[in-house]
Every structure is written in C-alpha cells, then in structure tokens.
Amino acid sequence: SQQGEEDPQALSIQEGENATMNCSYKTSINNLQWYRQNSGRGLVHLILIRSNEREKHSGRLRVTLDTSKKSSSLLITASRAADTASYFCATGSGSARQLTFGSGTQLTVLP
Amino acid sequence: KAGVTQTPRYLIKTRGQQVTLSCSPISGHRSVSWYQQTPGQGLQFLFEYFSETQRNKGNFPGRFSGRQFSNSRSEMNVSTLELGDSALYLCASSLDNYYEQYFGPGTRLTVT
C-alpha cells in the first residue's frame, strides 16, 4: 500500500515557471526522497532529505520537510520542457531499504 | 560506472506460466530491491536482498519470490502468472549505508 498522497495529481505549466509538488505521508520516517520517472521508464533519484532536516537544495530543486505535518514539498525553479515527467516522493523508515512511494504528480512543462 | 541493468526489457507470458526476471546492480552495491508498478496500485515494494539474504518483504503472495547471488545479481520469479501481474517490474540497488536507490529501466511484463 502507498504511504501517502501527492498533490496535485497533474500539473501543467509554461517553460520558465516554477513547479511545486506536495507530498503527505502517514507514519514516522527516517528520510524522504524524491524521484523522477520519464514515461514508464526507471526512476531517477533527485534528492534525499533526512527527518532532522527542514530544507535542502540541489541545483534548481528545493525540498522542504515538515515532520509535524507529515508533509514535504518539491519546488522546481525555472522549469524546462525536459522536466516533463512524473515525480514521486518516497519515504524510508528504519534501516531497511524499503521505500514507500506516493501516487506521483505528472508534470508537463509546455515550451 | 555502469547503471543497473535489467533483462529482459519486455516479456509476454500467458496465464499459469512462470517468469524469471534478472537484475544486475551497480558495481559495489550489495543491496537490491524489487518494486512492482501498475497504474492502479502505483509503486509497491516486493522485497530487498542484501548479501544473498532477503531482509525485507512486501505484501505480495508467495508466488513472488527472489534470490540474490554472491556477485549481488538478483532474480525474481513469479509462478502461476495471473492477468493482474502485468506490470513494470523495477529493480534498484544501493550502497550498504546509503538510502538513495538507483533504479534500472524495468522489465515490462504482459500476461495474456
């Protein structure tokens, strides 16, 4: 079963705009990760934020984590057409390499 | 470094048959996890292997099994295939102490 939900399910923006996706989860976590998937292919790891961190940056990506609200957001700045993909949050608990994925947000960036 | 490879990439089987999927992790990665992705259920964890031992198992029936070899390569097997087993099966590898997982391109299984 999935840990939580992502919001929105689909997002369509113009190139150059910022895209924000949200993720909610249900149980306590060690870390939260974001992955990108292009058209039914394998997932690509984007960024990991640990439970004791509140914000993390990587290039055009900014992730925030609010453990009190059990939620996270992914911001992609200055989006490009190549950012068009599905974005998934995944939570890691305990020492196991078991990730529990959200339902994903389909991002479409229009040129 | 070469990425995670999965074979075959596409597979068509009929109900009742069995199938074996293969995954070669990134060199040096000892942990291999398997996930099933379907439009209805999304991404679901199947199992994780480390040093030839299954450490974790998701909520799937016993028809789904796996193993890991001494070179960290892993296989998963699905017996008595059902139509609902049609999915993209993803393999991921990771280093021992890290949580980031590196995914292969997946095997698209279609059961008819």
Side-chain angles (χ1 to χ4, degrees), chain A residues 1-2 30-31 33 35 37 40-43 45 48 50 88 94-99 101, chain B residues 33 35 37 41-45 55-56 88 90 94 96-101 103-105:
Chain A
S1 62
Q2 292 172 323
N30 287 345
N31 65 76
Q33 305 179 40
Y35 289 82
Q37 184 178 37
R41 298 183 181 180
L43 281 75
H45 180 265
L48 179 151
R50 303 192 189 282
F88 295 89
S95 61
R97 271 67 176 172
Q98 174 178 344
L99 292 180
F101 284 85
Chain B
S33 298
Y35 295 86
Q37 186 176 29
Q41 298 298 316
L43 278 153
Q44 294 188 286
F45 171 77
R55 289 199 299 193
N56 297 285
L88 180 66
L90 294 161
S94 64
D96 185 19
N97 294 317
Y98 294 166
Y99 292 92
E100 294 91 343
Q101 297 197 16
F103 283 80

Side-chain angles (χ1 to χ4, degrees), chain B residues 19-22 34 46-47 64-66 74-78 89:
Chain B
V19 66
T20 300
L21 312 181
S22 181
W34 289 88
L46 279 158
F47 27 64
F64 291 82
S65 63
S74 178
E75 290 181 346
M76 68 162 283
N77 183 277
V78 188
Y89 289 88

Side-chain angles (χ1 to χ4, degrees), chain A residues 38-53:
Chain A
N38 289 86
S39 189
R41 298 183 181 180
L43 281 75
V44 175
H45 180 265
L46 296 176
I47 196 166
L48 179 151
I49 185 166
R50 303 192 189 282
S51 58
N52 60 354
E53 298 176 309

Side-chain angles (χ1 to χ4, degrees), chain A residues 7-8 11 13 18-22 62 73-76 105 107:
Chain A
D7 171 56
L11 179 61
I13 60 174
N18 294 342
T20 300
M21 288 160 266
N22 302 297
R62 172 179 168 255
S73 67
L74 171 67
L75 168 68
I76 304 174
T105 293
L107 172 66

